[in-house]
Amino acid sequence: MSIPSIPEVTLSTSEHRRLERLARVGAAQGDADARLLLSEIRRAEIVPDRAARLDSIVTMGSWVTFWINWGFPRETRQLVYPEDYASERTQIPVMSPLGAALVGLKVGSEIPFFTAGRSNVVRIESVSRTDPNDVVRVLFSNPMFQGKKPFDDDDPGPSAA
């Protein structure tokens, strides 16, 4: 497996400030993940908070679909601040090796990161600002379903003619 070149990092102005403070505190305490995050922040291009190009960039709170080492299955998780981290299955803390590697990358980027004693490569497939499960929530918040069970117990279902 060849190691990809290091891709560009792009951060919004407000995220840059908050991430830099977070990483500096962790790095001062000897946290290796914080030092990695700080190195990524230092090489980042800083853009205005509402820059259109941020739509294809992994930002805090965004949902990112990625592969590690081109393996399967691909995963979709939300990048979060440490204080918002609640689920290993659905979230990635920015102060982890994978989180620090992902932040600020654009769709299509690949970057190496080191964890669990080995070198890995992560590739970003897509970025979204909404939870992939919102489609299901929106469907069942439809007025047609309000006050009803989605699958009415009294409905016998389709019948043969």
Side-chain angles (χ1 to χ4, degrees):
M1 168 173 53
S2 66
I3 302 296
S5 61
I6 303 299
E8 295 176 1
V9 173
T10 305
L11 296 173
S12 69
T13 303
S14 61
E15 283 187 356
H16 177 262
R17 281 193 297 266
R18 185 170 175 190
L19 288 169
E20 187 172 40
R21 281 193 301 269
L22 180 68
R24 283 186 188 281
V25 168
Q29 296 171 350
D31 185 322
D33 297 333
R35 285 195 296 272
L36 171 61
L37 180 59
L38 194 54
S39 70
E40 292 297 285
I41 291 167
R42 286 183 175 145
R43 66 185 197 85
E45 176 185 358
I46 311 307
V47 299
D49 287 353
R50 296 183 188 259
R53 66 193 268 201
L54 288 172
D55 289 345
S56 63
I57 302 288
V58 179
T59 58
M60 298 307 300
S62 66
W63 290 85
V64 58
T65 300
F66 59 92
W67 284 284
I68 295 178
N69 298 334
W70 299 276
F72 289 96
R74 66 180 180 217
E75 298 181 52
T76 299
R77 293 204 240 159
Q78 184 181 37
L79 185 65
V80 297
Y81 287 103
E83 63 271 18
D84 298 326
Y85 181 67
S87 170
E88 181 179 324
R89 294 187 62 206
T90 61
Q91 297 175 320
I92 302 167
V94 72
M95 292 287 284
S96 68
L98 178 57
L102 288 172
V103 71
L105 296 185
K106 68 180 177 181
V107 172
S109 296
E110 298 176 359
I111 191 167
F113 71 102
F114 192 78
T115 188
R118 63 183 279 208
S119 182
N120 299 281
V121 176
V122 62
R123 184 178 203 309
I124 292 137
E125 178 183 299
S126 66
V127 175
S128 172
R129 302 286 171 259
T130 58
D131 181 338
N133 295 315
D134 280 350
V135 173
V136 173
R137 286 187 205 108
V138 168
L139 174 66
F140 289 110
S141 67
N142 183 314
M144 184 174 108
F145 288 111
Q146 289 181 349
K148 297 181 183 178
K149 294 179 184 175
F151 303 102
D152 194 351
D153 292 335
D154 295 334
D155 182 358
S159 59

